[in-house]
């Protein structure tokens, strides 16, 4: 397996984002009203690449989805602000924004939902560190 550690990345996003903005960060959870604003961090894909002739994987290309939920009259504004901070954080670790952050429809119209998708190649022996 190449050098990507999902738990390490999740822990990093959770600790840094909760310090940057007032929000709850979790993964694979349907948030309750008491948790808003809430940022869900999920691993949508983790394709391999740079295989050698023996079939050993030389890199992974994780796709991270950050979904921000907020409620109330200023829900969209809060979601936008948190999404921009999350984007800033992801870009600082070398991820590229593949989509968003943008508003998407939510089942409950009283809850605003914004989604951003981020991706980067992580090779064997790569360390997760800020590049800018």
């Amino acid at each position: 397996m190449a050098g990507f550690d999902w738990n390490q990345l999740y822990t990093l996003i959770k600790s840094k984002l909760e310090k940057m903005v007032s929000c709850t960060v979790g993964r694979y959870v349907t948030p309750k009203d008491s948790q808003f604003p809430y940022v869900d961090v999920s691993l949508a894909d983790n394709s391999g690449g740079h295989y050698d002739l023996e079939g050993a994987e030389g890199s992974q290309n994780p796709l991270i989805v950050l979904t921000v939920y907020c409620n109330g009259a200023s829900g969209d504004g809060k979601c936008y602000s948190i999404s921009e901070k999350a984007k800033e954080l992801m870009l600082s670790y070398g991820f590229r924004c593949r989509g968003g952050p943008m508003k998407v429809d939510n089942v409950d119209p009283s809850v605003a939902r914004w989604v951003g998708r981020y991706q980067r190649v992580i090779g064997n022996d790569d360390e997760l560190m800020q590049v800018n």
Side-chain angles (χ1 to χ4, degrees), residues 2-132:
F4 176 63
D5 183 341
W6 166 227
N7 287 323
Q8 178 189 18
L9 178 63
Y10 167 74
T11 301
L12 181 138
I13 293 170
K14 179 176 175 55
S15 66
K16 294 226 176 198
L17 195 55
E18 286 180 341
K19 287 177 185 172
M20 292 171 75
V21 293
S22 177
C23 67
T24 304
V25 178
R27 57 180 165 184
Y28 308 118
V29 172
T30 302
K32 298 177 180 135
D33 284 349
S34 62
Q35 294 174 298
F36 291 147
Y38 179 83
V39 180
D40 185 72
V41 182
S42 62
L43 177 63
D45 185 29
N46 193 19
S47 55
H50 302 96
Y51 291 92
D52 64 17
L53 293 175
E54 283 94 36
E57 186 177 64
S59 68
Q60 291 180 318
N61 196 16
L63 175 64
I64 309 300
V65 179
L66 301 180
T67 307
V68 181
Y69 298 90
C70 298
N71 58 357
S74 61
D76 275 326
K78 287 180 194 173
C79 278
Y80 172 78
S81 177
I82 294 169
S83 294
E84 286 299 312
K85 287 294 185 185
K87 180 178 182 177
E88 181 183 307
L89 175 64
M90 296 303 287
L91 295 177
S92 77
Y93 280 89
F95 282 83
R96 293 189 172 117
C97 185
R98 295 294 182 204
M102 63 185 168
K103 180 181 172 127
V104 294
D105 290 336
N106 196 32
V107 175
D108 180 352
S110 71
V111 176
R113 180 170 64 131
W114 285 59
V115 176
R117 291 176 168 74
Y118 304 91
Q119 193 168 33
R120 74 167 269 194
V121 173
I122 298 177
N124 282 335
D125 300 322
D126 276 356
E127 291 185 30
L128 199 56
M129 59 184 176
Q130 285 187 295
V131 292
N132 58 19

